Amino acid sequence: MDLMIKNGTIVTEKEMFRGDIAVKDGIIAAIGKNLSDIPCENVVDAEGKLVLPGAIDAHTHLAMPFGGTISADGYYAGTRAAACGGTTTVFDFALQDFNEKMLDVVKRRDALAAPEAAVDYAFHVGVKDVHGDLLDSMKEAVEFGVPSFKVFMVYDFGVTDGVFYQVLEKAKEIGALICVHAENNELVNTLVERYASEGKTAPWYHYMSRPEFVEAEADFRAISWAKSLDAPLYIVHLANKKGVEYVAKAKEEGYQIYAETCPQYLNFTCDVYKRDDARNFVCSPPMKGQESQDALWKALKQGVIDTVATDHCPFQQSEKDWGKDDFRKIPNGCAGVENMYPYMLAKANNGEITFMKAVEVCSSNPARIFGCIQKGSLTVGKDADIVIYDPEKDFTVACETMHSDYDHTIWEGTKLHGYPVKTFSRGRLVYDNGEFKGEPGWGKLIKRSLSPKNLK
Ligand code: DUC
Ligand code: ZN
Ligand code: ZN
């Protein structure tokens, strides 16, 4: 064996038990109560610790051109930070250029990611243009191993309702899953213009121009179309209460509608837009009111929300400052890739959710939904993506101890009881007690296929 993790409490989405894990060639080779008779040079004693599957962050924007700049974390910094927060796979959004075939998008972004990634990664293609044979080109991406796509209902690169519908229809035909950023573009633009014309340009008006119903209404429309086609749909960064209700209803009716939320919506409310540093919290959708936050937690506990992912898209302070007095100039996005798993596990550690639930939403469900069959669980035969977690370690998040390239974080000062102490990516140590131990280029592109048997 190459690695033996002994005496820990092993956590899966279904159970917790004391045991040992043996790793050979990057794969979990054995799990048992006492594997001490198997010879192994590299033994890690996890007495008093939890042993968990690495998290899968199904939503990052690394090196993404956006808001007049490029997000602050490239593929190396973003995956380095992921490793240090116990995330062993990231799904990045590869945004299509106009006139570009879907597989070419994947290849273009993979050329950037492959030499840099420190943990494994996958792509969703962000669809902008389906004219001519571009819609049909989705099939090549699926055959290559990228069976998930995203459409934006907002931004200048967002798609029209008609294009969204065609993409859903095509996805159904070729066995793909569509992710959607759901907000009503027309309403956002109208409200933005109205507030600006009244001289109301403080960051608070970013929130005001995207009120709760702007997201809810788009959730409703997106779900309606998916239902009409009986096509699966994954709603990214769900943040509002009404949207949660729409998802719950569609699930009850038996439709394959999945929902993701993000740690920022679980932890912050729209009150952050009253702070002096409000611009740093500007992301879309914005943080919502307390009622929505409560609904998100309830939905997560009940299984209406399937996954937690980050929408990691940090910008530097000087870039956020462009919009200090004019919210329209603030690049949208916040950091999170290093914080998600520690945050959710701290919620488990203080009893708000179970550790099994944290594993389910941060690892097992994203693996299942997106066809990452070799990941998402501590099971013999799966990749040895393993996190050792010390439930007694206290940690206060500070930008200077994070492993990103950003210069500020919305999580600054957040106190967590319990913290990851080691991360292994396919059996290789990539994080050890505060220090990154990995290397660029270690991470591999995970090719996937979606099969109904992968799903619950
Ligand atoms: N929202 C953000 O805040 N940033 C990146 C993209 C997005 O949809
Ligand atoms: Zn989005
Ligand atoms: Zn996003």
Side-chain angles (χ1 to χ4, degrees):
M1 291 296 155
D2 304 325
L3 168 69
M4 179 82 72
I5 300 172
K6 290 181 59 64
N7 305 321
T9 298
I10 295 168
V11 187
T12 73
E13 63 181 320
K14 299 230 154 55
E15 57 181 340
M16 291 172 67
F17 56 94
R18 240 180 102 83
D20 306 337
I21 297 186
V23 175
K24 178 83 187 139
D25 297 329
I27 304 287
I28 298 175
I31 299 181
K33 285 272 182 255
N34 193 348
L35 302 179
S36 21
D37 42 346
I38 302 178
C40 181
E41 280 182 13
N42 184 11
V43 177
V44 175
D45 187 5
E47 183 68 48
K49 313 277 194 301
L50 301 184
V51 182
L52 309 133
I56 297 174
D57 185 345
H59 189 159
T60 68
H61 300 276
L62 302 177
M64 170 151 141
F66 190 54
T69 178
I70 296 180
S71 58
D73 276 343
Y75 286 101
Y76 180 45
T79 53
R80 182 178 67 205
C84 298
T87 288
T88 46
T89 307
V90 301
F91 277 67
D92 200 53
F93 286 98
L95 200 54
Q96 183 195 17
D97 282 338
F98 286 100
N99 222 3
E100 189 179 26
K101 291 198 171 168
M102 306 300 166
L103 185 53
D104 293 341
V105 185
V106 173
K107 293 191 170 161
R108 174 169 57 81
R109 292 301 287 190
D110 194 35
L112 291 179
E116 293 196 16
V119 296
D120 291 346
Y121 60 96
F123 291 111
H124 312 285
V125 177
V127 176
K128 292 203 288 202
D129 183 8
V130 296
H131 89 272
D133 57 1
L134 293 177
L135 185 66
D136 287 338
S137 80
M138 285 170 66
K139 191 157 183 248
E140 285 162 21
V142 172
E143 286 164 355
F144 178 79
V146 178
S148 47
F149 300 83
K150 178 177 183 186
V151 293
F152 291 83
M153 293 169 85
V154 283
Y155 301 130
D156 50 2
F157 52 81
V159 298
T160 62
D161 294 354
V163 168
F164 182 8
Y165 188 80
Q166 290 175 68
V167 169
L168 270 173
E169 203 170 27
K170 178 57 74 179
K172 163 95 177 160
E173 179 192 319
I174 61 178
L177 176 60
I178 301 306
C179 308
V180 61
H181 174 138
E183 289 182 295
N184 184 313
N185 199 37
E186 282 285 304
L187 290 183
V188 169
N189 291 340
T190 300
L191 293 174
V192 166
E193 274 172 39
R194 177 179 301 167
Y195 286 122
S197 70
E198 291 168 359
K200 295 173 176 165
T201 53
W204 171 254
Y205 291 96
H206 172 72
Y207 168 67
M208 291 295 282
S209 60
R210 297 174 117 99
E212 310 252 341
F213 68 86
V214 158
E215 189 190 331
E217 184 276 341
D219 291 329
F220 180 78
R221 268 188 302 143
I223 292 170
S224 303
W225 300 331
K227 278 167 61 168
S228 78
L229 292 163
D230 197 17
L233 177 71
Y234 178 97
I235 300 180
V236 301
H237 49 47
L238 185 67
N240 77 96
K241 183 180 174 184
K242 266 261 164 255
V244 165
E245 289 166 10
Y246 298 140
V247 172
K249 181 157 183 294
K251 275 183 168 16
E252 267 165 40
E253 292 166 348
Y255 292 100
Q256 245 180 297
I257 306 293
Y258 302 104
E260 161 200 289
T261 194
C262 310
Q264 57 271 32
Y265 304 117
L266 293 169
N267 194 57
F268 302 105
T269 67
C270 54
D271 284 351
V272 293
Y273 300 113
K274 297 174 186 159
R275 289 169 46 152
D276 286 346
D277 60 349
R279 60 198 176 283
N280 293 346
F281 293 82
V282 164
C283 58
S284 293
M287 305 346 161
K288 301 294 203 307
Q290 189 61 54
E291 259 193 67
S292 279
Q293 188 179 83
D294 294 345
L296 294 178
W297 275 110
K298 192 166 164 212
L300 186 106
K301 290 174 192 170
Q302 292 176 336
V304 171
I305 287 179
D306 301 279
T307 65
V308 174
T310 63
D311 201 8
H312 182 79
C313 190
F315 294 97
Q316 302 296 16
Q317 189 61 68
S318 59
E319 295 163 334
K320 286 288 196 186
D321 289 350
W322 293 338
K324 195 169 177 296
D325 303 312
D326 185 346
F327 71 92
R328 295 171 296 175
K329 296 182 183 150
I330 305 171
N332 286 201
C334 301
V337 76
E338 194 167 347
N339 313 106
M340 172 182 82
Y341 212 22
Y343 174 76
M344 294 305 291
L345 292 171
K347 290 289 174 189
N349 206 23
N350 73 15
E352 290 181 50
I353 54 170
T354 65
F355 281 105
M356 293 169 288
K357 179 52 100 173
V359 165
E360 181 191 325
V361 295
C362 295
S363 184
S364 307
N365 277 350
R368 193 181 289 120
I369 292 168
F370 289 111
C372 233
I373 49 171
Q374 68 272 54
K375 307 213 179 263
S377 177
L378 297 180
T379 308
V380 172
K382 301 251 184 197
D383 285 354
D385 289 354
I386 302 173
V387 171
I388 301 184
Y389 179 81
D390 182 351
E392 294 307 328
K393 181 173 171 147
D394 286 307
F395 189 87
T396 303
V397 178
C399 183
E400 60 184 27
T401 53
M402 296 289 98
H403 297 82
S404 281
D405 277 348
Y406 54 61
D407 61 0
H408 71 282
T409 168
I410 58 168
W411 295 95
E412 186 78 33
T414 305
K415 290 187 176 9
L416 302 172
H417 181 55
Y419 208 76
V421 287
K422 286 187 199 298
T423 306
F424 298 90
S425 161
R426 283 180 277 108
R428 184 204 192 287
L429 184 69
V430 289
Y431 167 75
D432 193 12
N433 223 351
E435 272 184 60
F436 175 63
K437 296 285 183 187
E439 57 182 321
W442 168 260
K444 287 193 170 34
L445 173 65
I446 303 298
K447 294 191 180 179
R448 304 167 287 123
S449 76
L450 297 182
S451 135
K453 72 178 180 334
N454 295 341
L455 304 168
K456 261 196 247 187

